[in-house]
Amino acid sequence: RKMEKPVRVKLSIKADAKTTGDVIFEVHPEWAPIGAERFLDLVKDNYFVDCRFHRVIPGFVAQFGIAGDPKHYNKWASVKLKDDPVKYSNVRGSVSFATSGPNARSTQLFVNFGDNKGLDSQGFAPIAVVTKGMEIIDSLYSGYNSSSKKPSQSYVKMYGNKYLDEEFPKLSTIISATIMKE
């Protein structure tokens, strides 16, 4: 199915104990049709509800997309996507899928804090751009970055939010993600 017009997705995000707000992703299927369709399918499946920003590197990226429930993660993670060509740059506010190599995108995405144009040549194809709420993204909790104290992705995949809540309680959370009506 062809989607041409941008689709807006509203993410309600709890950045910290005091800061909660809405962030709008404007999804552009014409930039990366395969990635855009997967992201929207994940939103429709309530995949991002209660999902944590597990890797937040100031000045670089805020990464999310390992479901809080390992069963939900496993439902999607094994279905890898073919790469989209890069048609839009990884500038501040753009949203791309993370990947572990060629044709390996699945559920994890990141928002660019800065202009990370170096990611373009590595094949990271933006699917969306933040049009509202970038100040919420800028306020995401980033205190778990030291090599000794950061979430283990393999543990998150195995144990989900139970592990994160016990070991990394300050992580910012996506409360909900919904496709907005025109």
Side-chain angles (χ1 to χ4, degrees), residues 8-160:
R8 293 185 313 149
V9 173
K10 179 171 82 175
L11 293 91
S12 293
I13 295 173
K14 182 179 183 224
D16 59 40
K18 295 187 290 292
T19 312
T20 300
D22 292 339
V23 175
I24 307 295
F25 285 5
E26 189 176 80
V27 181
H28 284 267
E30 73 278 14
W31 294 350
I34 300 167
E37 183 173 19
R38 166 59 66 89
F39 176 69
L40 294 171
D41 286 345
L42 289 167
V43 170
K44 289 175 195 159
D45 194 41
N46 294 315
Y47 181 87
F48 298 110
V49 172
D50 210 24
C51 188
R52 307 289 190 270
F53 284 89
H54 64 271
R55 180 172 175 252
V56 179
I57 302 171
F60 185 46
V61 297
Q63 191 164 324
F64 65 99
I66 303 176
D69 177 350
K71 286 195 283 290
H72 211 168
Y73 171 76
N74 289 324
K75 171 182 168 181
W76 288 96
S78 59
V79 186
K80 305 294 187 205
L81 301 181
K82 285 176 100 83
D83 291 336
D84 283 303
V86 179
K87 293 185 180 167
Y88 186 81
S89 188
N90 282 275
V91 294
R92 174 170 165 77
S94 60
V95 183
S96 298
F97 270 90
T99 187
S100 56
N103 301 308
R105 298 178 298 169
S106 65
T107 66
Q108 294 193 54
L109 298 101
F110 58 86
V111 181
N112 286 289
F113 282 124
D115 288 341
N116 297 320
K117 295 184 176 80
L119 296 175
D120 300 351
S121 60
Q122 297 174 48
F124 292 95
I127 62 152
V129 63
V130 173
T131 56
K132 175 180 179 279
M134 194 63 195
E135 70 282 357
I136 301 292
I137 299 295
D138 286 334
S139 69
L140 296 174
Y141 186 77
S142 63
Y144 297 128
N145 272 320
S146 69
S147 53
S148 59
K149 186 68 175 166
K150 67 181 177 192
S152 153
Q153 289 198 27
S154 51
Y155 276 33
V156 185
K157 292 167 186 176
M158 272 192 294
Y159 305 112

